[in-house]
Amino acid sequence: MRTSFDEMRKEKDLIILDGAMATELEKKGLDLNDELWSAKVLESQPQAISDVHYDYFKNGADAGTSASYQASIAGFLKKGYSRQEARDFIARSMELLLETRSRWWEEEGKSTGRCLPLAVGSIGPYGAYLADGSEYTGNYQVTEKELEEFHRDRMEILKEAGAEMFALETFPCLYEAVVCARVMEQLSADYYISFSFKNSSQINGGDTIEACVKALAGLKHLKAIGVNCTQPHLVTDIIKTYKTHTSLPIVAYPNSGETYDACCKKWHGVKEPGLYGQWAASWYEAGAGLIGGCCRTTPEDIQEIFTWYQKNR
């Protein structure tokens, strides 16, 4: 079984993405206070990852995202694993997603009339590997060559393992996105790029939406562009600005509105008010074509999007 972004877009004008992986694993009692974050569960408790994927499919997700956001060769080597073990863990993140999709499809999916969900390979920024909060600032000093070498291996591994699309997500700076987009084009792999934002017009590294769109224009395999891991109240204006600069579908999956403290590795504050389905409706009206959730969002949030969409499609 395989599907593609283009095939799904022919069927639906809104693709519903999944939500957070790490916080769902923490609800199951797993301790993720580790440089590998959710990627460490690929070795210790892979069934928990599969269970989270299943919950999102069950609650309406049209796409599942592999638990590879913070998985990298360098990251696993740093923790004492061999290069082959690192490659196996990264591949396993996609294998788990595909196995879970097949199980859900056979058990209930194909009888519902829904589309076969997309299997998306998650690629987090270099700052996620550093595990020091720089994924939200872009303040890491590496060359383009170093960035390409860091990302290419895991991209190739995930593609070989069956990724049908890639999410280059939570990117704080444009230069890293350009490097990764170049690798995706070389691999002939479909992908979307999603930036984290500090306000409604600038990504966390300071680049404007217009600059991002201009730098990434005309790429054959870039299927969507947008925003994630950003406070929900900023997202509608971000989508509207994107729409003035590009005809690409816009992807939007913010966090719950809480704030992450990279020093103590804890979330503070409370969720922004309002049902997630209501937020999603406003993002859809603003022009988003892919909507889901990021940090601290839940399968219930995805269910709200699904329920709203089914009533209003």
Side-chain angles (χ1 to χ4, degrees):
M1 295 190 301
R2 291 189 68 83
T3 188
S4 73
F5 176 81
D6 290 340
E7 290 170 352
M8 188 170 286
R9 282 286 289 180
K10 291 177 183 177
E11 298 291 327
K12 304 186 66 180
D13 68 337
L14 175 65
I15 294 175
I16 300 174
L17 305 177
D18 59 8
M21 171 62 71
T23 44
E24 289 302 299
L25 292 173
E26 288 173 336
K27 286 180 184 178
K28 297 179 183 296
L30 280 74
D31 179 9
L32 303 187
N33 188 9
D34 188 275
E35 291 178 352
L36 292 173
W37 201 34
S38 57
K40 81 171 195 174
V41 186
L42 290 167
E43 178 196 32
S44 63
Q45 208 165 333
Q47 183 58 46
I49 292 174
S50 180
D51 291 344
V52 175
H53 287 319
Y54 199 99
D55 284 345
Y56 281 118
F57 290 142
K58 187 178 185 68
N59 282 279
D62 296 313
T65 310
S66 63
S68 55
Y69 175 86
Q70 207 147 320
S72 66
I73 299 292
F76 282 114
L77 290 177
K78 187 177 179 182
K79 297 294 287 187
Y81 295 99
S82 70
R83 181 170 293 274
Q84 186 58 54
E85 286 174 325
R87 295 181 63 86
D88 290 344
F89 287 141
I90 294 170
R92 187 61 182 143
S93 72
M94 180 53 60
E95 292 162 359
L96 280 169
L97 175 58
L98 292 169
E99 290 166 5
T100 307
R101 179 181 70 173
S102 295
R103 180 164 60 90
W104 172 80
W105 187 251
E106 291 302 319
E107 291 177 355
E108 62 178 76
K110 65 182 178 182
S111 65
T112 65
R114 287 171 51 188
C115 297
L116 177 69
L118 273 165
V120 181
S122 173
I123 300 292
Y126 182 81
Y129 153 69
L130 298 177
D132 60 0
S134 59
E135 65 192 290
Y136 296 108
T137 65
N139 295 330
Y140 36 89
Q141 303 301 313
V142 288
T143 66
E144 288 192 9
K145 182 179 179 181
E146 289 171 317
L147 282 175
E148 181 174 338
E149 290 175 349
F150 173 81
H151 286 295
R152 181 182 288 275
D153 279 348
R154 60 182 181 156
M155 291 172 173
E156 292 176 341
I157 293 166
L158 288 168
K159 184 183 179 187
E160 184 176 346
E164 297 161 343
M165 189 178 188
F166 284 85
L168 311 186
E169 51 185 349
T170 326
F171 275 36
C173 46
L174 177 56
Y175 82 91
E176 184 174 20
V178 170
V179 169
C180 289
R182 183 167 62 236
V183 178
M184 289 279 97
E185 295 295 325
Q186 291 168 353
L187 295 177
S188 298
D190 291 345
Y191 61 103
Y192 68 72
I193 296 178
S194 185
F195 296 97
S196 57
F197 281 72
K198 64 180 179 179
N199 56 48
S200 60
S201 61
Q202 292 177 294
I203 65 175
N204 278 326
D207 298 289
T208 64
I209 291 174
E210 182 178 7
C212 292
V213 169
K214 184 177 181 180
L216 297 164
L219 296 172
K220 179 180 178 181
H221 293 281
L222 178 61
K223 298 298 182 177
I225 191 169
V227 51
N228 80 294
C229 213
T230 297
Q231 294 187 330
H233 72 271
L234 297 174
V235 171
T236 298
D237 286 343
I238 290 171
I239 294 167
K240 289 178 178 178
T241 303
Y242 266 122
K243 294 293 287 185
T244 66
H245 295 293
T246 183
S247 60
L248 284 171
I250 308 303
V251 56
Y253 54 116
N255 56 36
S256 65
E258 295 157 274
T259 302
Y260 184 69
D261 185 332
C263 294
C264 63
K265 300 186 184 304
K266 291 184 178 180
W267 288 88
H268 299 289
V270 296
K271 284 190 174 185
E272 289 193 11
L275 295 175
Y276 208 80
Q278 295 172 340
W279 282 112
S282 67
W283 302 328
Y284 176 80
E285 292 299 323
L290 301 87
I291 298 176
C294 200
C295 297
R296 309 286 282 184
T297 60
T298 68
E300 290 74 26
D301 292 324
I302 302 308
Q303 175 67 46
E304 286 187 20
I305 303 173
F306 177 78
T307 300
W308 164 80
Y309 183 66
Q310 290 298 107
K311 290 180 179 178
N312 296 276
R313 62 187 303 177

